[in-house]
Amino acid sequence: MDELIKAMKIAYSTEFAFYLKAHFFHFNVEGSDFLEYHDLFGKIYEEVLDSIDPFGENIRKLGSYTPASFSRLSMLSQIEDEAQVPPKEAMVEELLVDSGKIVKVLKLVYDLAEREGKHGLSNFLAERMDAHDKHAWMLRSSLK
Ligand SMILES: [Fe+2]
């Protein structure tokens, strides 16, 4: 169970970091097709933001507390921080790479949840993986 809780905290922190990055890209993107990218990043950050609350509640259901500070989130997150404002295509590529990393993290937690017989939780995690697959599809399509 400890392993599952630890993995959940890593996944939660990674989702949080991804949400922040997508939201900052939503604000900061520039170009003649600004609205297109602004909306794409908007759709993504809103979806991920909605998942933060159930993610945290799932950690509480396991009897633990959520990571609750920027420093802790940043320590546990599995995606790179972006302190600059990259060009829009680089933003898309970065979120695409991050989506792949998140799906891998989520799959690991999914397997642990299944092993512990926490099928409600693994169902939630499967939905998160599906949501990130959808984000990856939208990001990939916008690069063509
Ligand atoms: Fe906005």
Side-chain angles (χ1 to χ4, degrees):
M1 184 64 102
D2 282 357
E3 204 184 342
L4 173 60
I5 290 170
K6 200 171 154 199
M8 273 295 284
K9 289 181 182 183
I10 290 171
Y12 167 86
S13 301
T14 309
E15 287 274 27
F16 220 123
F18 182 83
Y19 149 69
L20 279 177
K21 194 187 279 189
H23 203 156
F24 293 153
F25 286 176
H26 167 78
F27 292 141
N28 291 329
V29 70
E30 289 174 320
S32 55
D33 39 12
F34 164 81
L35 256 192
E36 195 181 306
Y37 287 85
H38 180 72
D39 287 350
L40 171 65
F41 299 144
K43 271 196 178 69
I44 292 174
Y45 93 71
E46 281 173 6
E47 192 285 324
V48 180
L49 177 59
D50 282 346
S51 81
I52 298 297
D53 186 64
F55 227 114
E57 291 182 355
N58 272 306
I59 293 175
R60 297 291 295 128
K61 281 193 254 172
L62 294 172
S64 190
Y65 295 106
T66 65
S69 72
F70 279 127
S71 59
R72 189 87 184 112
L73 291 170
S74 143
M75 201 184 302
L76 294 173
S77 166
Q78 300 298 299
I79 60 168
E80 295 295 318
D81 255 356
E82 179 55 81
Q84 308 301 316
V85 178
K88 60 195 179 214
E89 293 83 4
M91 288 177 172
V92 172
E93 274 165 21
E94 202 173 317
L95 291 179
L96 190 51
V97 169
D98 292 345
S99 300
K101 285 184 189 165
I102 291 181
V103 171
K104 276 192 188 136
V105 170
L106 290 166
K107 176 67 170 63
L108 205 136
V109 195
Y110 175 91
D111 290 342
L112 290 170
E114 281 289 279
R115 203 178 70 188
E116 296 285 345
K118 299 279 183 192
H119 302 301
L121 177 56
S122 52
N123 191 43
F124 169 74
L125 294 162
E127 283 176 11
R128 293 308 309 139
M129 284 189 270
D130 190 50
H132 282 288
D133 281 342
K134 186 173 178 183
H135 299 323
W137 158 60
M138 291 196 293
L139 290 161
R140 211 178 302 113
S141 298
S142 77
L143 284 176
K144 295 227 167 138

